[in-house]
């Protein structure tokens, strides 16, 4: 049993859908105040209602994670509404599939900015609020794709997700003087709106290649994030946890067939 995070305030980028919404729901269920961030306001009211329905308080703020001023506005909104900031879950990300032959420099930059630069910008925006508190928790959503595995069409994505882990190591050292820890969750294939966009064939073959024989649930990632956020994880920083149902374990198709 982890010490309660009731009344603590968390920003969750990409919190209106998929993994971000799962993280936010796990935190809201513990009584946290969650600030859901996405570019479009459309999903906001429904996501806010869901968080309130499980016992948390919630607001939605529309912002693009590639825009530092917009992220500073999110932090200001969190402080104005809930009196401070305790937790940042830098989760928003995109995964368009494009092979190198078809990829333009702009395609590359768009993914790197949305997935990697946003980690830096989100932490930079949150840091003054953490300094006021004298403590803080950051959880990045990275991936197995890039740091551990590869998949055709995701060179830019893999680079962005591996890059987040490079950022993590030095950020952990720099943030330690403010009482802030930063860690990363590395999801395998988690059933989200974004993943569903890759088609049923992708979902079926992926599930068959996972030892636990199912895609992950968004709350599988939320529970891992909750551990990093907890008081009990206070001596852990700069670290990662793979949450993939064993997907990165098999050496071959034969190894999967043996299960
Ligand atoms: P998703 O279902 O497509 O949801 C993405 C969320 O991010 C939405 O709320 C979206 O809202 C928001 N978002 C996207 N671009 C944004 C931007 N520029 N500024 C602000 N918000 C933005 O995606 P997901 O599958 O949950 O993935 C979430 C994270 O998990 C990503 O970092 C992804 O790389 C990582 N991940 C996912 C999987 C998986 O299997 N699903 C596996 C490994 C890692 P708007 O579009 O309204 O802005």
């Amino acid at each position: 049993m982890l010490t309660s995070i009731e009344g603590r305030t968390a920003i969750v980028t990409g919190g209106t859908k998929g993994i971000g919404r799962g993280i936010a729901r796990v935190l809201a269920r513990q009584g946290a105040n969650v600030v859901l961030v996405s570019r479009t306001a459309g999903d906001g009211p429904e996501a806010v209602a869901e968080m309130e329905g499980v016992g948390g308080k919630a607001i939605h703020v529309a912002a693009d994670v590639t825009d530092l001023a917009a992220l500073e506005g999110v932090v200001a909104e969190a402080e104005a509404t809930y009196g401070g900031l305790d937790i940042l879950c830098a989760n928003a990300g995109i995964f368009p599939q494009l092979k190198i032959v078809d990829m333009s420099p702009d395609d590359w930059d768009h993914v790197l900015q949305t997935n990697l630069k946003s980690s830096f910008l989100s932490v930079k925006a949150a840091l003054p609020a953490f300094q006021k508190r004298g403590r803080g928790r950051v959880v990045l959503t990275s991936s197995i794709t890039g740091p551990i595995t590869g998949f055709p069409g995701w060179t830019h994505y893999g680079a962005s997700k591996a890059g987040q882990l490079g950022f993590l190591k030095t950020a952990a050292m720099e943030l330690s003087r403010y009482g802030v820890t930063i860690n990363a969750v590395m999801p395998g294939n988690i059933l989200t709106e974004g993943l569903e966009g890759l088609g049923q064939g992708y979902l079926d073959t992926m599930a068959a290649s996972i030892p636990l024989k199912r895609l992950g649930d968004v709350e599988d990632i939320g529970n891992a994030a909750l551990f990093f956020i907890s008081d009990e994880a206070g001596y852990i920083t700069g670290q990662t946890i793979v949450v993939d149902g064993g997907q990165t374990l098999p050496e071959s198709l034969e190894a999967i067939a043996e299960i």
Side-chain angles (χ1 to χ4, degrees), residues 13-20 37-40 43 63-66 91-95 114-115 141-144 157 161 187-195:
T13 69
T16 57
K17 284 196 195 122
I19 289 177
V37 179
S38 66
R39 290 164 301 179
T40 46
D43 302 308
D64 191 315
V65 292
T66 63
N91 163 83
I94 54 172
F95 35 94
T114 306
N115 295 0
T141 305
S142 174
S143 178
I144 58 169
Y157 179 77
K161 294 286 143 180
N189 279 262
I190 309 300
L191 193 55
T192 65
E193 290 89 333
L195 205 76

Side-chain angles (χ1 to χ4, degrees), residues 94-98 103 107 110-111 115 153-154 156-157 198:
I94 54 172
F95 35 94
Q97 252 182 313
L98 269 178
M103 191 185 297
D107 293 327
H110 182 53
V111 168
N115 295 0
W154 280 328
H156 51 358
Y157 179 77
L198 300 174

Side-chain angles (χ1 to χ4, degrees), residues 28 65 77 107 115 133-134 155 164 177 191 226 230 247:
V65 292
E77 191 85 20
D107 293 327
N115 295 0
R133 283 271 210 252
T155 53
Q164 285 182 296
R177 64 160 56 201
L191 193 55
L226 176 64
S230 71
Q247 185 182 334

